[in-house]
Amino acid sequence: MIAGVNLTETPRPLTGNLVPKASTFPSGIKALADYIHSKGLKLGIYSDAGTQTCSKTMPGSLGYEEQDAKTFASWEVDYLKYDNCENTGTSPKERYPKMSKALLSSGRSIFFSLCEWGQEDPATWAPSLGNSWRTTGDIEDNWGSMTSLADQNDKWASYAGPGGWNDPDMLEVGNGGMTTEEYRSHFSIWSLAKAPLLIGCDLRSMKSVTFELLSNKEVIAVNQDKLGVQGKKVKKDGDLEVWAGPLSDNRVAVVLWNRGSSQVQITAYWSDIGLNSSALVDARDLWAHSTQSSVQGQLSAEVPSHACKMYVLTPHKDSIV
């Protein structure tokens, strides 16, 4: 879990060092980090590869990369989201490497989340710089935005892997703009795609249904699988889609996704998802928490409108070739 804060005074003091906003953080950021770490959590901070952050009320880190990285390290920050506003018009390929180098020299391991909105195809160059990179513009809390970003992110699947991840932006689950089934689809596809699972709703007012979605350990386990291969769209028939990807121990994760307006049956054939045609598998439904044993050749399910079914398929030992 990441607690993210936008926390500095503006403009910068004469020293050039970022200073915690005293009215919000009277004990300073290091004390906040100590408290967060005592809860088993990690502290994330936000800055920008420009002269100001996107709020236009806080200083960015452009020209202060080394100084700010050392400050973040001294505060024991664990995660940096690095945005792209007020960037003076220069390429992110020129600006982001400076912060990457500064973080590596800071003396602390800090997760570097690049956010240049996918403008210059960061999947092709950011893996050498950071730990995640935005492949898209900002997400909005509606079905059209979520599905569009899923598609945009999907085409970069081959560039992701352990230590570096495609990021189609944070989760909107629980913010109220989509139905429960749409949010279930959102969380399932983001998990399959190994996207960073950053909760975007207010934890203090989270409804029980939201908590149930976001705390599904079986779905989260797909996202966190040690093989680290991004699942992707493998079959499309109009609004009916099959997404799948390999997991560790010869397993396969599968999402049957209905993007249409009425309930339909969706089928994933073993040939669609990389399994031997004669393989026998146990199919674990990650949302129903139930298992179909010894399934062969294909997996079918009735899927309501804008909903999905998500499975982990475990081949029987004598089916593995």
Side-chain angles (χ1 to χ4, degrees):
M1 295 288 290
I2 300 294
V5 287
N6 190 350
L7 45 76
T8 56
E9 296 282 11
T10 185
R12 287 176 181 267
L14 292 177
T15 62
N17 292 325
L18 293 173
V19 175
K21 193 171 184 179
S23 60
T24 307
F25 304 101
S27 299
I29 303 306
K30 177 59 169 60
L32 176 65
D34 290 343
Y35 174 77
I36 289 173
H37 292 155
S38 76
K39 301 297 182 181
L41 304 175
K42 294 185 177 182
L43 175 66
I45 199 168
Y46 170 92
S47 191
D48 191 284
T51 57
Q52 291 181 309
T53 66
C54 294
S55 69
K56 298 185 179 182
T57 61
M58 302 286 176
S61 293
L62 185 64
Y64 293 88
E65 292 88 356
E66 186 173 347
Q67 196 165 355
D68 287 357
K70 289 180 178 178
T71 296
F72 300 151
S74 72
W75 290 341
E76 297 192 1
V77 166
D78 303 293
Y79 177 106
L80 171 64
K81 176 181 176 179
Y82 205 47
D83 222 331
N84 195 34
C85 292
E86 306 300 312
N87 59 43
T88 70
T90 57
S91 170
K93 294 179 184 179
E94 298 177 24
R95 290 175 284 109
Y96 282 76
K98 296 177 181 177
M99 181 55 82
S100 175
K101 182 179 179 181
L103 291 173
L104 291 173
S105 302
S106 71
R108 182 173 177 80
S109 177
I110 298 176
F111 187 107
F112 187 26
S113 171
L114 292 78
C115 180
E116 55 84 86
W117 316 314
Q119 290 188 341
E120 294 195 22
D121 300 339
T124 63
W125 51 268
S128 65
L129 301 179
N131 306 104
S132 68
W133 43 87
R134 279 278 295 280
T135 53
T136 69
D138 291 348
I139 193 171
E140 297 176 6
D141 184 21
N142 61 70
W143 173 254
S145 174
M146 184 272 287
T147 55
S148 175
L149 267 57
D151 291 338
Q152 292 174 48
N153 185 67
D154 183 52
K155 71 178 184 177
W156 302 111
S158 64
Y159 292 86
W165 310 102
N166 292 315
D167 178 8
D169 206 4
M170 65 197 309
L171 295 162
E172 292 288 353
V173 178
N175 282 328
M178 288 183 262
T179 67
T180 296
E181 289 304 325
E182 289 171 343
Y183 281 139
R184 194 188 315 276
S185 295
H186 181 14
F187 192 55
S188 298
I189 293 296
W190 260 237
S191 294
L192 182 81
K194 306 300 188 293
L197 299 180
L198 301 174
I199 297 174
C201 67
D202 190 335
L203 301 182
R204 299 167 297 180
S205 56
M206 180 188 294
K207 295 180 179 179
S208 59
V209 66
T210 300
F211 178 78
E212 290 171 6
L213 289 174
L214 293 174
S215 62
N216 185 321
K217 292 182 179 180
E218 294 190 78
V219 175
I220 294 170
V222 170
N223 181 263
Q224 297 291 299
D225 182 71
K226 63 183 180 181
L227 189 63
V229 174
Q230 178 173 325
K232 59 186 179 180
K233 188 186 305 188
V234 298
K235 182 181 178 181
K236 177 177 173 62
D237 181 9
D239 291 323
L240 314 184
E241 297 182 352
V242 177
W243 293 58
L247 301 175
S248 57
D249 301 321
N250 298 299
R251 297 169 303 144
V252 179
V254 179
V255 174
L256 308 179
W257 195 11
N258 178 10
R259 291 166 64 160
S261 58
S262 59
Q263 179 168 309
V264 292
Q265 184 178 79
I266 303 177
T267 299
Y269 296 94
W270 284 188
S271 58
D272 298 328
I273 59 178
L275 286 174
N276 185 290
S277 60
S278 61
L280 284 176
V281 309
D282 295 332
R284 177 68 174 177
D285 185 324
L286 305 190
W287 289 109
H289 303 297
S290 62
T291 302
Q292 300 177 50
S293 299
S294 300
V295 182
Q296 185 173 20
Q298 65 189 60
L299 181 68
S300 299
E302 290 290 327
V303 185
S305 170
H306 289 194
C308 76
K309 300 287 186 179
M310 188 173 189
Y311 304 88
V312 168
L313 308 184
T314 303
H316 292 192
K317 289 183 178 181
D318 56 3
S319 296
I320 298 172
V321 294

